[in-house]
Amino acid sequence: DTEVTQTPKHLVMGMTNKKSLKCEQHMGHRAMYWYKQKAKKPPELMFVYSYEKLSINESVPSRFSPECPNSSLLNLHLHALQPEDSALYLCASSQVGTGGNGELFFGEGSRLTVL
Amino acid sequence: AQSVAQPEDQVNVAEGNPLTVKCTYSVSGNPYLFWYVQYPNRGLQFLLKYITGDNLVKGSYGFEAEFNKSQTSFHLKKPSALVSDSALYFCARRDGGATNKLIFGTGTLLAVQP
């Protein structure tokens, strides 16, 4: 069983809706990640938070807005999405730096469909 | 560009036969390399990693991988495949820096026939 919990598992939204994806971990990790994955493709990094501060934004459109309210929680706020944004959104966490030797722990993902 | 490559989109193997899923890397210095597996409609599960030390790394579910510096490869292997091993496999490397950002290969779909 994964120790990274993502909700909801499935989300259908219209292009004018505002919704949020949530991620929670209790492993004491201080780095958290959002990845986007299209069917049968590798995950693509979107954002990285380190010690609750945004450290990497991979030029993601502003209709995706991440938030890290505390060391255990990571949100992804969605607004005015496009149908091409439909994908599996994966949250992951890890130790910061070399302490964890780079291993990421992934959640099960939130499957988003934009109509 | 520094990356990992998975040359096979799909690997087919009969149950009980050995399997190999290939990965090559191009990175200067000592790479941190990983294998993840993804079952249908699931997240990614960590299988094993190479950081340093013994070139043969053993991981979950009977999988192992051999780090070969001269061939810049990190192939995933299992002596006897199971139908339940059928899944999408990703090789990845750590990008460096303070966070453990991972760069993934394109993935290899493993199909194990009964």
Side-chain angles (χ1 to χ4, degrees):
Chain A
D1 291 337
T2 181
E3 297 182 72
V4 177
T5 303
Q6 292 188 242
T7 56
K9 293 188 185 305
H10 300 276
L11 178 63
V12 179
M13 60 186 291
M15 289 189 286
T16 59
N17 292 157
K18 286 185 179 181
K19 297 286 185 183
S20 297
L21 305 180
K22 298 184 183 301
C23 176
E24 186 171 7
Q25 58 89 13
H26 294 288
M27 293 178 281
H29 292 163
R30 302 302 295 277
M32 296 188 76
Y33 310 74
W34 280 115
Y35 280 84
K36 173 183 177 180
Q37 186 183 27
K38 291 282 197 178
K40 297 188 178 180
K41 297 294 185 182
E44 298 175 354
L45 183 66
M46 300 175 71
F47 303 103
V48 180
Y49 274 82
S50 179
Y51 296 108
E52 296 84 66
K53 295 189 186 304
L54 184 64
S55 62
I56 297 176
N57 176 343
E58 294 285 348
S59 302
V60 179
S62 60
R63 58 185 184 268
F64 294 91
S65 175
E67 178 194 21
C68 190
N70 61 55
S71 60
S72 299
L73 295 174
L74 184 67
N75 299 321
L76 186 62
H77 302 298
L78 314 171
H79 175 56
L81 295 192
Q82 303 297 311
E84 59 265 29
D85 296 323
S86 299
L88 182 68
Y89 288 84
L90 294 164
C91 174
S93 71
S94 76
Q95 296 185 28
V96 175
T98 59
N101 289 329
E103 180 180 342
L104 267 63
F105 293 80
F106 284 84
E108 295 289 347
S110 293
R111 186 163 299 283
L112 174 67
T113 302
V114 182
L115 301 176
Chain B
Q2 299 182 353
S3 67
V4 291
Q6 295 180 244
E8 302 158 316
D9 291 335
Q10 183 162 339
V11 169
N12 298 306
V13 65
E15 187 175 31
N17 284 0
L19 70 87
T20 298
V21 183
K22 295 180 180 177
C23 174
T24 59
Y25 67 91
S26 57
V27 60
S28 58
N30 295 321
Y32 288 5
L33 298 168
F34 304 81
W35 276 103
Y36 282 82
V37 61
Q38 187 174 32
Y39 297 99
N41 300 312
R42 304 291 297 275
L44 275 70
Q45 295 181 31
F46 169 77
L47 281 178
L48 49 81
K49 63 185 177 185
Y50 173 80
I51 303 300
T52 187
D54 194 347
N55 289 343
L56 184 63
V57 179
K58 293 189 182 297
S60 305
Y61 312 122
F63 284 93
E64 60 188 26
E66 184 172 10
F67 174 71
N68 188 318
K69 191 169 185 177
S70 63
Q71 297 185 6
T72 62
S73 66
F74 189 56
H75 301 332
L76 181 70
K77 299 182 179 184
K78 187 174 183 181
S80 178
L82 300 173
V83 173
S84 57
D85 293 329
S86 299
L88 189 56
Y89 290 80
F90 290 102
C91 183
R93 66 163 180 87
R94 183 186 169 199
D95 190 50
T99 58
N100 294 316
K101 175 181 172 182
L102 287 182
I103 305 299
F104 289 90
T106 51
T108 298
L109 184 64
L110 174 66
V112 181
Q113 284 87 36

